[in-house]
């Protein structure tokens, strides 16, 4: 791949949750809308419509503050199942154009279209076709960035939001990066941006004046990364995520057990272990499945799907015990018990670990 220029598209939906709400509820169209927690409590804004953004309302802002900025702001609760469904449909559209898709969140993905699956001709035309399909089939707008690497494609998609399409070809990359404000660089957060400004680094060109060694001295490992980024050096491949469908844990006993109370104790332990494993991956799911294997190696599984995304051992155990209560183990010895969680909404992706929001 090194000598062949790759063609990368980054697609990001515009005001995702809010646009879906405005699509489904016409009375919200054209209105300043915040999807998220109530301003009465300690809720936060998940996202705001572009009408609300004019007033400074932003993701992750407290809903109370948002209301102060924009007194006529309308609040609605998120409907995750709907967003997830839209997300699945967006990915199905992507897959018509390429097999190399790397979703970053529900509303965002990198596509490598170097191999032109439909023979459309150019990456720009592929991006146009994708935007059109999303518009016509889902009634939503997306912004796309087209370039030869992931970093530039991602910045490009953000360039002309909403409903934007920005192409940054190889000949423009250098000047584009030199003029780019440093806070727009991949990996530069608020703190790093402040620090850079302290050194007089405001745009890419300033960053470029520093040697790799100097950057590493100032910013550690990230310095090396910045050195390459500002030169448009980003060979990271588009990696289709192997998103796991379920995560589970099971235990085979040294000696088979007969007592239901012992099984309950074991389920409790399994849920605790599963909670740990899930938190490492920051996963939340809605479906809990129990598995019971008997001494004769026959087994049963039972599943239940909750209305909410869960990941705590208590929440899982509640469902497990409900399932277990209905599972007949009478007179049978059990050799293995298992618990798994599936139907994930990557907690990572939805960024809504705020309990106020998760409760709806
Ligand atoms: N989200 C969230 N909490 C955040 C950021 C985002 O819950 N702190 C959710 C709501 C967004 C969705 O993720 O609709 C996608 O995030 P984006 O950052 O892509 O933001 P939007 O799609 O809402 O707006 P933009 O048009 O800027 O992409
Ligand atoms: Mg978006």
């Amino acid at each position: 791949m090194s000598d062949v220029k790759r063609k990368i598209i980054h697609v990001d939906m515009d005001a995702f949750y809010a646009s879906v709400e405005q699509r489904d509820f016409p009375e919200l169209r054209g209105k300043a809308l915040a999807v998220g927690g109530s301003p009465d409590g300690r809720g936060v804004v998940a996202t705001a419509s572009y009408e609300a953004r004019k007033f400074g309302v932003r993701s992750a802002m407290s809903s109370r503050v948002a209301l102060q900025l924009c007194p006529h702001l309308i609040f609605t609760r998120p409907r995750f199942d709907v967003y997830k469904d839209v997300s699945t449909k967006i990915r199905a559209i992507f897959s018509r154009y390429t097999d190399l898709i790397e979703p970053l969140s529900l509303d965002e993905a990198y596509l490598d279209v170097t191999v032109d699956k439909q023979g459309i001709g150019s990456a720009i035309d592929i991006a146009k076709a994708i935007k059109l399909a999303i518009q016509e089939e889902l009634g939503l707008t997306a912004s796309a960035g087209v370039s030869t690497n992931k970093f530039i494609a991602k910045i490009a998609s953000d360039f002309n939001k909403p409903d934007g399409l920005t192409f940054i070809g190889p000949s423009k990359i250098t000047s584009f990066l030199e003029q780019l404000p440093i806070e727009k660089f991949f990996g530069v957060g608020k703190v790093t941006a402040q620090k850079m400004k302290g050194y007089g680094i405001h745009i890419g060109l300033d960053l470029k004046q520093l040697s790799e060694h100097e950057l590493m001295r100032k910013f550690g490992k990230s310095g090396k990364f910045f050195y390459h980024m500002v030169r448009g050096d980003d060979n990271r491949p588009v990696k289709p995520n192997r998103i796991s469908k379920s995560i589970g844990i099971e235990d085979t006993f040294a000696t088979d057990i007969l007592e239901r109370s012992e099984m309950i104790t074991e389920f409790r332990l399994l849920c605790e272990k599963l909670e740990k494993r899930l938190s490492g991956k920051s996963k939340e799911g809605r479906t809990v499945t129990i598995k019971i294997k008997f001494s004769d190696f026959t087994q049963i599984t039972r599943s239940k799907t909750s209305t909410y995304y869960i990941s705590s051992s208590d929440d899982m155990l509640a469902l497990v015990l409900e399932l277990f209560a209905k599972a007949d183990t009478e007179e049978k010895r059990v050799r293995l018990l298992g618990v798994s969680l599936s139907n994930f909404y990557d907690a990572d992706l939805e960024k809504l670990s705020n309990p106020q929001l998760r409760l709806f």
Side-chain angles (χ1 to χ4, degrees):
M1 261 297 144
S2 56
D3 47 345
V4 184
K5 280 259 176 282
R6 293 179 303 157
K7 296 177 180 176
I8 311 289
I9 303 176
H10 178 261
V11 182
D12 189 312
M13 301 298 290
D14 301 319
F16 185 46
Y17 296 0
S19 305
V20 173
E21 297 309 318
Q22 289 181 325
R23 177 194 73 175
D24 294 350
F25 302 96
E27 65 274 21
L28 297 175
R29 291 182 198 162
K31 301 268 167 65
L33 169 69
V35 179
S38 149
D40 308 328
R42 297 195 300 126
V44 297
V45 174
T47 197
S49 66
Y50 276 82
E51 293 85 351
R53 292 184 194 193
K54 285 185 204 141
F55 294 83
V57 179
R58 295 284 180 272
S59 289
M61 177 179 274
S62 94
S63 299
R64 194 178 42 79
V65 171
L67 191 61
Q68 282 165 4
L69 289 172
C70 179
H72 57 286
L73 188 62
I74 300 171
F75 285 86
T76 61
R77 304 289 200 228
R79 295 180 302 147
F80 298 120
D81 284 355
V82 181
Y83 312 143
K84 215 175 143 186
D85 182 59
V86 173
S87 181
T88 309
K89 291 182 170 136
I90 297 165
R91 285 182 203 170
I93 291 175
F94 295 157
S95 68
R96 295 178 204 157
Y97 299 92
T98 177
D99 296 325
L100 263 181
I101 303 164
E102 179 178 335
L104 295 179
S105 72
L106 283 189
D107 88 320
E108 190 187 344
Y110 289 116
L111 319 179
D112 184 323
V113 297
T114 314
V115 174
D116 186 355
K117 193 169 172 181
Q118 291 210 16
I120 288 179
S122 80
I124 299 174
D125 285 340
I126 296 174
K128 278 186 191 157
I130 290 172
K131 277 166 54 77
L132 189 67
I134 291 175
Q135 170 83 68
E136 286 185 342
E137 295 169 35
L138 303 175
L140 296 167
T141 64
S143 294
V146 182
S147 191
T148 51
N149 73 43
K150 284 171 57 165
F151 167 50
I152 311 271
K154 187 167 160 85
I155 295 178
S157 75
D158 199 40
F159 218 59
N160 230 338
K161 260 183 171 295
D163 201 15
L165 173 59
T166 305
F167 168 66
I168 301 175
S171 62
K172 281 192 285 176
I173 288 181
T174 305
S175 63
F176 179 81
L177 288 174
E178 287 181 349
Q179 282 155 39
L180 196 69
I182 43 108
E183 54 269 21
K184 294 261 180 183
F185 276 87
F186 185 70
V188 179
K190 270 201 192 112
V191 176
T192 312
Q194 260 341 97
K195 195 170 161 189
M196 286 196 177
K197 286 179 182 166
Y199 291 121
I201 307 170
H202 298 275
I203 56 172
L205 187 62
D206 303 329
L207 190 60
K208 234 177 169 174
Q209 308 309 313
L210 278 77
S211 70
E212 186 168 358
H213 178 76
E214 256 175 305
L215 280 173
M216 284 180 72
R217 207 159 39 92
K218 291 186 163 64
F219 302 101
K221 256 196 207 150
S222 316
K224 188 184 174 76
F225 187 73
F226 298 146
Y227 179 86
H228 290 283
M229 279 292 155
V230 73
R231 284 164 179 77
D233 252 356
D234 174 18
N235 294 322
R236 293 173 300 152
V238 171
K239 275 194 264 179
N241 305 352
R242 288 150 303 246
I243 293 178
S244 50
K245 292 241 161 25
S246 84
I247 295 181
I249 194 148
E250 47 186 52
D251 211 356
T252 306
F253 309 114
T255 44
D256 298 350
I257 54 178
L258 193 60
E259 287 299 323
R260 281 182 73 90
S261 63
E262 262 183 76
M263 297 179 202
I264 290 173
T265 306
E266 179 62 23
F267 273 130
R268 188 182 305 276
L269 279 173
L270 286 172
C271 287
E272 283 165 9
K273 281 191 197 161
L274 186 54
E275 178 188 71
K276 281 210 187 98
R277 188 172 293 185
L278 291 163
S279 67
K281 300 182 192 289
S282 57
K283 289 264 192 199
E284 297 190 302
R286 286 201 301 132
T287 305
V288 168
T289 303
I290 61 169
K291 175 156 126 186
I292 306 173
K293 196 182 258 181
F294 300 102
S295 54
D296 62 0
F297 282 84
T298 58
Q299 69 172 46
I300 57 171
T301 59
R302 298 283 183 270
S303 296
K304 189 171 167 76
T305 298
S306 131
T307 327
Y308 308 113
Y309 291 94
I310 59 172
S311 61
S312 76
S313 65
D314 286 347
D315 286 348
M316 291 188 287
L317 188 64
L319 293 183
V320 165
L321 295 182
E322 235 180 275
L323 291 166
F324 185 56
K326 290 187 216 144
D328 182 15
T329 60
E330 230 34 52
E331 313 277 309
K332 285 192 192 158
R333 293 191 166 274
V334 167
R335 72 183 313 266
L336 171 150
L337 291 176
V339 179
S340 67
L341 188 69
S342 57
N343 218 338
F344 291 123
Y345 186 114
D346 283 65
D348 223 352
L349 306 181
E350 64 133 299
K351 302 165 201 147
L352 284 177
S353 40
N354 185 311
Q356 268 76 38
L357 281 175
R358 267 180 41 228
L359 286 174
F360 322 129

